[in-house]
Amino acid sequence: MPCECCHKEIESKSKSESDEDQLVISGNAEHPANLICELCRNFYENGWVTGTGGGISIRDRERELLYLAPSGVQKERIIPKNIFVMDFKNKAYIRKPENLKPSACTPLFIAAYGIRNAGACIHTHSQSAVLCTLLFDKVFEISSIEQIKAIPKVTEPGNLWYSDKLVIPIIENTEKEEQLESTLREAIEKYPGTTAVLVRRHGIYVWGETVWKAKVYNEAIDYLLELAIKMRQLGIPTVKQLE
Amino acid sequence: MPCECCHKEIESKSKSESDEDQLVISGNAEHPANLICELCRNFYENGWVTGTGGGISIRDRERELLYLAPSGVQKERIIPKNIFVMDFKNKAYIRKPENLKPSACTPLFIAAYGIRNAGACIHTHSQSAVLCTLLFDKVFEISSIEQIKAIPKVTEPGNLWYSDKLVIPIIENTEKEEQLESTLREAIEKYPGTTAVLVRRHGIYVWGETVWKAKVYNEAIDYLLELAIKMRQLGIPTVKQLE
Amino acid sequence: MPCECCHKEIESKSKSESDEDQLVISGNAEHPANLICELCRNFYENGWVTGTGGGISIRDRERELLYLAPSGVQKERIIPKNIFVMDFKNKAYIRKPENLKPSACTPLFIAAYGIRNAGACIHTHSQSAVLCTLLFDKVFEISSIEQIKAIPKVTEPGNLWYSDKLVIPIIENTEKEEQLESTLREAIEKYPGTTAVLVRRHGIYVWGETVWKAKVYNEAIDYLLELAIKMRQLGIPTVKQLE
Amino acid sequence: MPCECCHKEIESKSKSESDEDQLVISGNAEHPANLICELCRNFYENGWVTGTGGGISIRDRERELLYLAPSGVQKERIIPKNIFVMDFKNKAYIRKPENLKPSACTPLFIAAYGIRNAGACIHTHSQSAVLCTLLFDKVFEISSIEQIKAIPKVTEPGNLWYSDKLVIPIIENTEKEEQLESTLREAIEKYPGTTAVLVRRHGIYVWGETVWKAKVYNEAIDYLLELAIKMRQLGIPTVKQLE
């Protein structure tokens, strides 16, 4: 995520509303391009994407399109015209905003779309995520907290139960975000029940069947990461010994 | 609270404004259906209902109706049409939004309405509530903090005094929310002076004579729970030894 | 501050805009009745007046009036019609909103107006204030922090310097807020350089020459209280030994 | 930063829209005078400029002008008419709002403009900045955290890499802000790769090529300062030993 944010680029506007613009300009608040802007503001307010960090993409299953937030821009200031659009089948960009670069997260998002048939992917630099990767070794683990019931089982329908153990794999960070792709793919394969992967000293990737499920999973997991840090600070194990 | 939030369901709208819709559509900001939406946004901003957690219901004493937020949806995005309405006398739903499920909190809310003649019930997954159930055993206790004066005595008119001890029972969590009903009822009976019950590793239930009293009690209790954790971290007992 | 907040009372409206209403209804955002509403929302967002706690009053020096927020209501929901107005000279109420009670802070505010010729007084239940009264004995002390330069010297024109020591007296809490009056008066007299008094296990009173000065002092002091707690937790003394 | 904030001064308005006003009145949201107001509100919400602390200035390279927030006023309430404008070449004020004082940060901002050819400078009283100056000695250091990639190398194009060490010099505070100028200049010269300078027990100065880069650097650095404190509290070194 080298920050090459340049406000002028965000400002750049096509003179006429081209065909490409029609892909992202919509009066419907539920349009992926509008949702990306709205959710980026929400994430910014939560401190998850400050300083151009993080990213999000949404898949339009019907039209077989992928909508992606651009690289290195202030997430809370993204407007629909900044959004990249990709053909889901051949992974070719069919809309590239002038002067903006595609997100380095793209290959990682594509991994989750491909392996897990996800409908949306979120990447944040949440401090709770970063800190948990410093407190846990190979996996983050927590059990017997009600909020766990918001997380899906993935390998079968339905969500985890209260006393189930949530396990999220942690992969090592690399110098460039793209280099994470192979270990991320391995982690997704190795942990068929996970809907997220933590990246050491970096952040978290979360995906879901729909954009709203991805958002809810991300919120619920961040709640659990934050709670786990507080539990550690108070000397309480995050995995409860069942009697 | 298995999270089965599905945005399409939230979107679902009746074609015509049916009689059922009239129960929840009102231009009056004080209408229970509008208040539920407003308060859910407020709770979301406080981090109490992230990831579809928590719930709220309001009783209309005059018309003998109960308004209930639905299960497993994003609380900050609830709209009046998502609200369930129940006949208070016979506890039958007279409005069930299509594709939504009634909250698993409902039997718990009904317990507080029945035993305590409450006018509104709030349930949150507040992290301070969860942490206090890990720091305290059978009951949460705090005394000699001014904010305690916002909490009612319940067994007699008026509120607690500054040096009174606030005692909130803690019950054990269960796999399913409905299973909490009997122990919640027991706790309410055993602690006739409490206006709240904590659930271990889960959250808190708070009720009051009116929706505003319930909201104020919930805020004041959450303030005290948060303060209690900080006091513990600083090595200060939450119950003051009176000289 | 016994919490007797009742939403209906807030709702109560006079049928016609009486003479009394004209005291608080104004299109000018700077009118004391409007400022009280605005600042209460600001304080609520800062967590200083949750659960009906805290209070504020503003003096209109020209018209010799005192505007006071009511007792036991949700501070973020106050509207101008809820404001009490007092004749500054004889301390008689010339506007008492129906069904509302005057704030128990009133005699304390009057002490600051009388002894210090204040133009506005703020009272909050800030958790940082409460915690500092548990970490410090007779006075709160901090020095050599830039933010101290926002605090006035009081006994002479101008503000404290960076390396000056800010000293805020701490008085013991009482069962009823009114009972604080005599010790508050004593503290103000004993510490002629203070623009605030902390109340053990309760909160803080801050005043200033104008409403904006009171707000700025309150913000700057709360910043210092919060910082002091973090410094203590990190083992750093709040008063710097000068070399 | 002696706080001499006086609301009346903020209120002061010229009778007619003078030539001087035209320098700061614009319908363009990207006009420096509008951006200063917007960013000050953003900083206030982040707790970086509470109680009149902090400051910001933006350079208009084309017109060779410097826009500066005034001294000692509430940053979240600044309006364009409060903005000072300076001729960049001869450093003479060409717009001085009546009753307001130029910011004491001005000579410090000018140092960054002159030595580094900056396009904008930000100064905050961030508590994380203050605390890090109490936890670190001559420099703040952190490495191997993804967010570091948002910070520029400065001495060559591009940003730091993940495993690079971010080093920010810490200078000692002085009684008056102006007195910081020489040591700030020395630090900028001595650390040619830094885009920020911390001031012990005071806060931080951050600059960048454009206002948006300065904002992003400030956000990313504050994230790292906050994270560093949490890492220290958890016993984790902020500089990773590379294997």
Side-chain angles (χ1 to χ4, degrees), chain B residues 30 38 42 143-147 149-150 159 161-163 212-213 215-216 219 223 230 236 240, chain C residues 1-3 5 7 11 44 50-52 74 76-77 125 127 130-131 134 173 175-177 201-202:
Chain B
E30 301 292 321
E38 181 193 344
N42 174 279
S143 74
S144 299
I145 297 291
E146 183 70 9
Q147 193 78 353
K149 289 163 85 172
N159 282 10
W161 287 109
Y162 160 67
S163 62
W212 296 116
K213 290 199 178 188
K215 172 185 172 278
V216 166
E219 275 184 10
Y223 169 106
K230 294 178 187 168
I236 300 161
K240 195 186 170 210
Chain C
M1 189 210 62
C3 170
C5 122
H7 194 66
E11 290 287 285
Y44 179 77
T50 49
T52 83
Q74 296 175 82
E76 80 279 18
R77 290 170 187 273
H125 286 188
Q127 290 202 5
V130 172
L131 286 169
L134 295 169
N173 200 26
E175 288 300 309
K176 300 190 184 176
E177 198 130 15
R201 297 171 167 271
H202 179 154

Side-chain angles (χ1 to χ4, degrees), chain A residues 30 38 42 143-147 149-150 159 161-163 212-213 215-216 219 223 230 236 240, chain B residues 1-3 5 7 11 44 50-52 74 76-77 125 127 130-131 134 173 175-176 201-202 233:
Chain A
E30 301 292 321
E38 182 193 343
N42 174 279
S143 75
S144 299
I145 297 291
E146 182 71 8
Q147 193 78 354
K149 290 163 85 173
N159 282 10
W161 286 110
Y162 160 67
S163 61
W212 297 116
K213 289 199 178 189
K215 170 184 173 280
V216 166
E219 275 183 12
Y223 170 105
K230 294 179 188 169
I236 300 161
K240 195 188 169 210
Chain B
M1 189 211 63
C3 171
C5 124
H7 193 67
E11 290 287 286
Y44 178 77
T50 47
T52 84
Q74 297 175 80
E76 80 278 18
R77 290 170 187 272
H125 287 187
Q127 290 201 6
V130 173
L131 287 169
L134 295 168
N173 200 25
E175 288 300 308
K176 299 188 183 177
R201 296 171 167 273
H202 179 154
Q233 285 175 318

